Amino acid sequence: MKIKLGIRGSTDAINHIIVKIDDLMLINANNLFLVGDEERIKIGKNLVQLLDSLSKDHEISVSENVAKEIERELNLKNNEIKKYSKKP
């Protein structure tokens, strides 16, 4: 099963992180544009834990640009999302 990451929003403001698993789409509940840094950091840690768990049995796919935007928005510092991106 292939799992894809995406974002909803604009280049100025990311509103939601999308995790697509086949026909199922998971979207974080809080609008990232409106929540504070504490909540973004919490969402980032939870997303990394989810992806680490899912990556053991499934392929994670995310573009390099989307990975960069997610890491910036969620204050992730150690390429925790970029490690799942494939360079063309």
Side-chain angles (χ1 to χ4, degrees):
M1 176 179 343
K2 191 171 192 173
I3 299 167
K4 297 179 182 179
L5 284 182
I7 54 177
R8 175 181 281 172
S10 66
T11 56
D12 294 336
I14 295 174
N15 297 333
H16 300 281
I17 308 295
I18 301 168
V19 179
K20 185 177 181 197
I21 306 169
D22 290 336
D23 293 334
L24 174 68
M25 284 181 43
L26 305 173
I27 301 174
N28 64 300
N30 296 333
N31 185 329
L32 296 176
F33 183 70
L34 301 175
V35 299
D37 281 339
E38 276 186 36
E39 188 66 23
R40 286 184 188 138
I41 290 168
K42 179 181 166 188
I43 291 168
K45 287 180 182 177
N46 290 339
L47 179 62
V48 168
Q49 289 175 349
L50 174 66
L51 294 177
D52 287 344
S53 177
L54 291 172
S55 70
K56 293 176 183 168
D57 296 321
H58 308 288
E59 179 185 349
I60 310 280
S61 174
V62 59
S63 75
E64 195 169 347
N65 291 339
V66 170
K68 185 173 112 178
E69 292 297 318
I70 291 172
E71 288 179 350
R72 180 185 55 80
E73 195 67 31
L74 299 180
N75 301 315
L76 299 171
K77 307 271 188 237
N78 299 320
N79 293 326
E80 293 158 307
I81 305 297
K82 284 183 189 173
K83 69 182 178 185
Y84 298 112
S85 70
K86 305 258 191 290
K87 292 185 179 181

